[in-house]
Amino acid sequence: MMLCMNRFKKISVHAIFIGLGLFVNVTFAQDAAKSNTVAESKIRNIDGVAAVVNTGFVTRKEIDDRIAALKKQGVKLPEDGSLRKTILDRLILEKIQLQNAEQEGISVSNKELDKIIGDIAAKNKLTVAEFKAKVIASGSTFERYKQLLRDDVLITRYREREVEAKLKISDAEIDNFITERTRAMTSGGAQRSAPAAKGEPEEIDVAQIFIPVDGGAGAGAQAEAKKKADALLRDARGDVDFLQLGAMAAKENPKIKFQDLGYRTPDRLPQLFYEAIRNTGGGQVANTVVKSPAGYHVLKVLDRRAAGASAPPQQAAAPDAGSTTPQNIPITQTLSRHILLRNRPGLSDQDAERRLQGYRDQVRAKTADFAELAKKYSEDGSAPNGGDLGWMSPGDLVPEFEQAMNRLQIGEVSNPVKSEFGWHLIQVMDRREGQLTVEKQRQFARAAIRERKFDQAYQEWMRELRDNATVKILNVDDEASSTPR
């Protein structure tokens, strides 16, 4: 087992998440397999065409299937008649991307697809045969499932080539980012700039961690997103770098976004954001999580300053913050050990948690030694060393493990902690002051800047795709079973 984040085996993680979603919602997407002219005519006659997209089309039945899948998930759907148009827009964009990917020669071989399906099955703790049976039992055919998965992988690869690969991040941007982060960390989160005089215009540097959730999502999904946001807000109040906390959360869940919005006057901030941080000082976190139609936002004011001002001269001249020579940043490193019970068939979460709780009780009662228990029971490469993981820096461990570890005092043993690897029992052995190397700083800075740039680049790219395509809307309002108007 490799616990460190930077040693994760990347087996098309995005495709795995796609596959898991498809497994739950096999009836969700359209049958986009290429068909001959006779088959296409048959689909048109049975389903009716909602829109012509370049040389292809989107059927009314495809829209119906998406709505049926949403209802099956218990999603609260809007009643203003906008749903069918929204889904049609999504289907049109998917169709355009698939057409373009095909024209550009992007493909997914059968061998690659089988490997992805194998990974998805393993993620669900199933054999491929068992997974196939589950798909069929859900009411779909396995061939349709494979086609939907192939389409999603094609779209992902096309997007990566067209958007992600074209994001340019200069060394100067990285240097500026590190300078700002260094200034914030070495000042202990204190306000960095002179505040605006009373009544004078000001600029506010706000950062956010965003947990998206569809406004029409069910109560369960809303509650889960709110719970995650509240947990991040609690962690953000501690002695942590806010954007690094966001990076850890994004590694755990790629849907979570984090970004530094940069200096903005209040009128250029979302009204919800400004109301939440109106009385929040530089270096402080907003008192509550902000709810918007798109999801939940955890906000931190990095700095407040007079409009048009720059960093104070004495700060710009500080050796660590203003020097053009890269500097290591002081950080707290933790020495810990753990006992791991891996995820595996035959071991339920309840059993794993109960076993680890028993080990914890023995250590606390001093009837057993943690290291000896790790050697005997831990299912990890660190077991021969008594579960010793060595000195770890912020960001080195999976988020669930690191967050639980950071809450422990030296010598304290955690409650059982669940991660993607299984269940852990953690003991902190020591802490020390270390240094965040320049190389690690640059890696983190590049990831943070990329997150900041990606959303804007992606939205612009999608608009260009739609504008350059030939799309004719024919009939979106009627269901497939009704008579076209």
Side-chain angles (χ1 to χ4, degrees):
M1 191 282 284
M2 290 192 177
L3 187 66
C4 293
M5 288 296 296
N6 58 358
R7 288 178 281 172
F8 282 171
K9 183 180 180 184
K10 295 185 179 179
I11 51 172
S12 187
V13 174
H14 185 82
I16 288 177
F17 283 116
I18 289 169
L20 291 172
L22 286 169
F23 176 66
V24 176
N25 308 309
V26 190
T27 62
F28 191 92
Q30 74 274 29
D31 182 4
K34 287 187 288 184
S35 305
N36 58 35
T37 304
V38 174
E40 288 182 356
S41 298
K42 184 177 180 181
I43 292 174
R44 286 191 182 96
N45 291 334
I46 294 175
D47 299 333
V49 176
V52 177
V53 184
N54 293 324
T55 58
F57 54 87
V58 175
T59 68
R60 287 182 287 140
K61 186 176 184 303
E62 291 174 282
I63 301 174
D64 296 344
D65 288 343
R66 293 265 173 127
I67 294 174
L70 290 172
K71 290 178 177 178
K72 188 175 182 180
Q73 296 174 66
V75 174
K76 183 179 179 181
L77 304 178
E79 299 178 356
D80 59 1
S82 63
L83 179 62
R84 293 186 69 84
K85 184 180 184 304
T86 299
I87 291 176
L88 175 61
D89 289 340
R90 293 177 184 174
L91 288 169
I92 288 171
L93 285 169
E94 289 174 13
K95 188 74 68 175
I96 294 169
Q97 291 176 79
L98 286 169
Q99 291 170 346
N100 290 359
E102 182 179 0
Q103 290 173 4
E104 295 293 332
I106 299 173
S107 62
V108 181
S109 69
N110 290 332
K111 185 177 180 180
E112 289 177 305
L113 195 63
D114 290 342
K115 173 66 167 58
I116 292 169
I117 290 173
D119 291 338
I120 296 169
K123 194 77 174 180
N124 282 276
K125 301 182 180 65
L126 299 170
T127 66
V128 173
E130 291 170 336
F131 184 74
K132 181 177 180 179
K134 289 276 188 181
V135 171
I136 295 171
S138 71
S140 178
T141 67
F142 195 63
E143 287 306 311
R144 170 177 282 246
Y145 172 83
K146 289 178 67 174
Q147 183 60 50
L148 299 178
L149 180 58
R150 187 190 299 274
D151 288 348
D152 278 318
V153 175
L154 281 172
I155 288 173
T156 299
R157 290 183 177 179
Y158 179 57
R159 184 194 66 201
E160 287 175 350
R161 196 187 76 170
E162 295 297 314
V163 182
E164 297 184 24
K166 293 180 180 179
L167 288 178
K168 303 300 181 184
I169 301 172
S170 68
D171 288 340
E173 288 178 291
I174 294 174
D175 292 340
N176 290 337
F177 184 94
I178 291 174
T179 298
E180 289 300 314
R181 302 268 34 89
T182 303
R183 188 175 289 137
M185 293 177 74
T186 55
S187 65
Q191 187 165 305
R192 304 194 300 272
S193 303
K198 187 174 182 179
E200 293 295 318
E202 71 168 344
E203 293 177 333
I204 310 171
D205 185 5
V206 179
Q208 72 157 328
I209 303 174
F210 171 51
I211 301 88
V213 60
D214 194 305
Q222 292 280 352
E224 188 65 28
K226 178 65 162 57
K227 180 180 177 182
K228 180 62 178 177
D230 287 337
L232 287 169
L233 179 62
R234 287 193 299 271
D235 292 336
R237 289 176 177 143
D239 186 20
V240 297
D241 181 84
F242 187 77
L243 290 179
Q244 189 170 29
L245 177 66
M248 290 168 56
K251 285 180 180 178
E252 179 185 359
N253 180 356
K255 291 183 178 180
I256 293 177
K257 303 295 181 184
F258 63 98
Q259 64 179 148
D260 180 350
L261 300 178
Y263 285 98
R264 300 188 183 190
T265 53
D267 62 300
R268 292 182 57 234
L269 284 170
Q271 186 64 27
L272 284 171
F273 286 16
Y274 181 64
E275 292 300 328
I277 54 88
R278 180 191 293 271
N279 299 314
T280 304
Q284 296 180 348
V285 181
N287 291 329
T288 60
V289 170
V290 174
K291 174 71 171 70
S292 77
Y296 294 89
H297 309 258
V298 181
L299 304 178
K300 181 172 183 177
V301 176
L302 302 180
D303 193 23
R304 303 182 86 114
R305 71 184 186 189
S310 57
Q314 64 270 26
Q315 285 187 327
D320 288 340
S323 173
T324 57
T325 302
Q327 301 287 328
N328 291 345
I329 295 178
I331 56 170
T332 299
Q333 294 179 313
T334 303
L335 180 65
S336 66
R337 55 190 177 189
H338 78 144
I339 300 170
L340 170 69
L341 300 182
R342 290 176 180 269
N343 292 321
R344 66 174 186 275
L347 181 67
S348 67
D349 285 347
Q350 293 80 3
D351 288 341
E353 195 171 6
R354 178 182 52 78
R355 283 179 55 184
L356 290 178
Q357 193 65 55
Y359 301 152
R360 180 178 185 270
D361 292 343
Q362 292 179 52
V363 173
R364 294 184 69 184
K366 301 188 185 308
T367 59
D369 177 72
F370 192 102
E372 292 303 316
L373 290 173
K375 289 178 181 178
K376 187 173 182 180
Y377 298 112
S378 184
E379 301 167 356
D380 177 57
S382 66
N385 298 322
D388 191 339
L389 296 171
W391 289 100
M392 291 293 172
S393 300
D396 281 346
L397 301 166
V398 291
E400 305 95 331
F401 190 106
E402 182 162 340
Q403 290 165 14
M405 179 185 73
N406 288 342
R407 289 192 287 266
L408 297 174
Q409 301 297 320
I410 294 175
E412 189 178 1
V413 180
S414 71
N415 288 316
V417 177
K418 179 73 182 295
S419 81
E420 64 181 273
F421 297 108
W423 283 87
H424 311 259
L425 196 66
I426 308 167
Q427 184 179 42
V428 169
M429 301 158 64
D430 200 1
R431 286 195 171 94
R432 71 182 184 190
E433 294 305 309
Q435 289 187 328
L436 183 62
T437 65
V438 173
E439 180 183 357
K440 280 200 170 185
Q441 290 177 58
R442 296 189 75 82
Q443 290 174 356
F444 170 71
R446 184 176 295 277
I449 294 169
R450 180 194 170 280
E451 287 292 333
R452 184 189 299 171
K453 287 186 169 186
F454 178 81
D455 283 343
Q456 180 180 356
Y458 180 69
Q459 293 302 324
E460 290 176 356
W461 178 67
M462 294 292 278
R463 282 194 295 270
E464 289 177 5
L465 283 181
R466 186 66 166 79
D467 291 343
N468 293 331
T470 301
V471 178
K472 184 177 182 180
I473 309 296
L474 300 180
N475 179 14
V476 60
D477 296 323
D478 293 329
E479 296 182 6
S481 57
S482 66
T483 303
R485 291 181 296 180

